Amino acid sequence: MKKKIGDYLALSLFTLFAIVVIFSCFKFVKVFANNEISDNLDDWSNYSTCLAALFTFVSLTFIYLTYKKQSDSNYKLQFDSTFFNMLHTQREILSSFGVCFFKQRCEKIMTYHPLSWSEELSSEEAFERVRKAYNLSLKEPDDSSAMHYFRHLYHIVKLVHNSSFNYKKKCEYINIIQAQMSNEELFVMFYNVVSFGNKEYLQWLDYYRFFENLRSTGSLFDKIRKHFFHNTEFKYSAPNIDNRNIILD
């Protein structure tokens, strides 16, 4: 926030000065363009003042560009430090689980879903299937063993989304997060975020195509995921893969 305010202030002052310089040059040309070369020192003084203003404008331009570059560089350094520290913490949280934690959650979720499904599925039916399947995977109704993991993951994604980077750069950071996760983690995360129904979070994940590499478990899952991630182009669909071995490998 402070970075943006500083940028806006610097840009505003730069723009104001540019307007003053352009106006001064325009006025100078208008007054002296049709006159002969003057012997009056006052005229040359005005000419020198105009040139000084131009050189000052050029100098300020370079100063502003240098400031902007340095500011962007410092912002990226600070962001990278926070981002990768949070990512490291995320891996530490994961390591506190058992080796087969997410694999077991996947198996429980998949027991609720047939691999093949040819009927149409409404959004309400899709949500209900996701919710029931996710609740089935919990050890207890109030199981919170993975909530710290998903809550922390949410804040990493939020950090990237709220950054001042452009879309392409944000996608690079999102891809780093996704690359750190196994198929099982992505699969269980899908059911977690859909079950809790945080619309804003779902929009972020869809916007950055977070689940584009999520491997299909069958035609039913293919139908379900399109209800919640309309803009994501999934790379893996049921007809192109061995559904029974795609998650639990």
Side-chain angles (χ1 to χ4, degrees):
M1 185 65 181
K2 291 182 179 179
K3 176 180 179 295
K4 290 184 178 180
I5 293 175
D7 287 346
Y8 290 147
L9 180 60
L11 184 60
S12 298
L13 292 174
F14 178 80
T15 303
L16 178 62
F17 185 79
I19 292 173
V20 172
V21 169
I22 292 172
F23 177 77
S24 300
C25 291
F26 176 77
K27 184 176 181 181
F28 176 83
V29 171
K30 184 178 180 181
V31 172
F32 297 105
N34 298 322
N35 295 332
E36 297 180 357
I37 297 177
S38 176
D39 294 330
N40 189 333
L41 290 178
D42 289 338
D43 292 341
W44 287 103
S45 175
N46 292 331
Y47 177 70
S48 299
T49 302
C50 185
L51 282 180
L54 283 174
F55 281 118
T56 303
F57 175 70
V58 172
S59 298
L60 283 177
T61 299
F62 283 109
I63 291 173
Y64 172 74
L65 291 176
T66 302
Y67 159 79
K68 187 71 170 62
K69 185 176 181 180
Q70 187 64 41
S71 178
D72 291 344
S73 178
N74 289 338
Y75 177 79
K76 187 178 185 305
L77 286 174
Q78 293 176 1
F79 180 88
D80 283 353
S81 177
T82 303
F83 175 79
F84 286 106
N85 282 336
M86 292 183 72
L87 205 60
H88 177 70
T89 301
Q90 186 71 12
R91 294 296 92 189
E92 289 183 338
I93 296 172
L94 176 64
S95 64
S96 68
F97 300 150
V99 177
C100 298
F101 179 83
F102 280 102
K103 183 176 181 179
Q104 292 171 352
R105 296 287 289 267
C106 285
E107 290 175 339
K108 290 180 179 180
I109 289 173
M110 290 174 65
T111 58
Y112 187 76
H113 286 320
L115 294 179
S116 179
W117 188 271
S118 58
E119 299 177 17
E120 290 300 319
L121 203 65
S122 68
S123 297
E124 292 75 14
E125 291 172 330
F127 174 76
E128 190 62 22
R129 282 187 169 274
V130 169
R131 187 185 64 80
K132 287 183 178 180
Y134 183 76
N135 289 338
L136 182 67
S137 73
L138 301 177
K139 295 179 181 179
E140 299 174 1
D142 60 346
D143 177 31
S144 59
S145 53
M147 290 310 298
H148 184 199
Y149 172 90
F150 289 121
R151 195 161 51 242
H152 192 266
L153 185 57
Y154 163 79
H155 284 288
I156 300 178
V157 175
K158 183 180 180 180
L159 174 73
V160 175
H161 179 74
N162 289 338
S163 70
S164 62
F165 298 122
N166 58 32
Y167 176 74
K168 182 179 179 181
K169 192 64 179 179
K170 288 180 180 181
C171 284
E172 290 179 8
Y173 284 105
I174 292 295
N175 288 338
I176 292 174
I177 301 171
Q178 184 193 137
Q180 296 281 316
M181 301 174 66
S182 66
N183 290 330
E184 290 86 353
E185 289 176 75
L186 283 171
F187 185 75
V188 178
M189 178 188 174
F190 174 92
Y191 280 81
N192 173 271
V193 297
V194 173
S195 296
F196 281 91
N198 185 332
K199 292 184 179 180
E200 184 179 49
Y201 192 26
L202 289 172
Q203 289 173 355
W204 295 349
L205 296 175
D206 193 23
Y207 182 62
Y208 299 113
R209 296 170 173 81
F210 192 92
F211 291 113
E212 65 178 359
N213 291 312
L214 177 58
R215 296 176 179 270
S216 174
T217 59
S219 55
L220 175 59
F221 181 71
D222 289 349
K223 291 179 179 294
I224 288 175
R225 64 189 183 181
K226 293 305 295 182
H227 278 289
F228 304 102
F229 300 96
H230 308 286
N231 299 319
T232 301
E233 296 181 5
F234 295 96
K235 296 180 179 179
Y236 303 97
S237 298
N240 303 321
I241 55 178
D242 180 358
N243 296 319
R244 296 182 181 277
N245 296 321
I246 200 65
I247 291 293
L248 308 177
D249 52 7

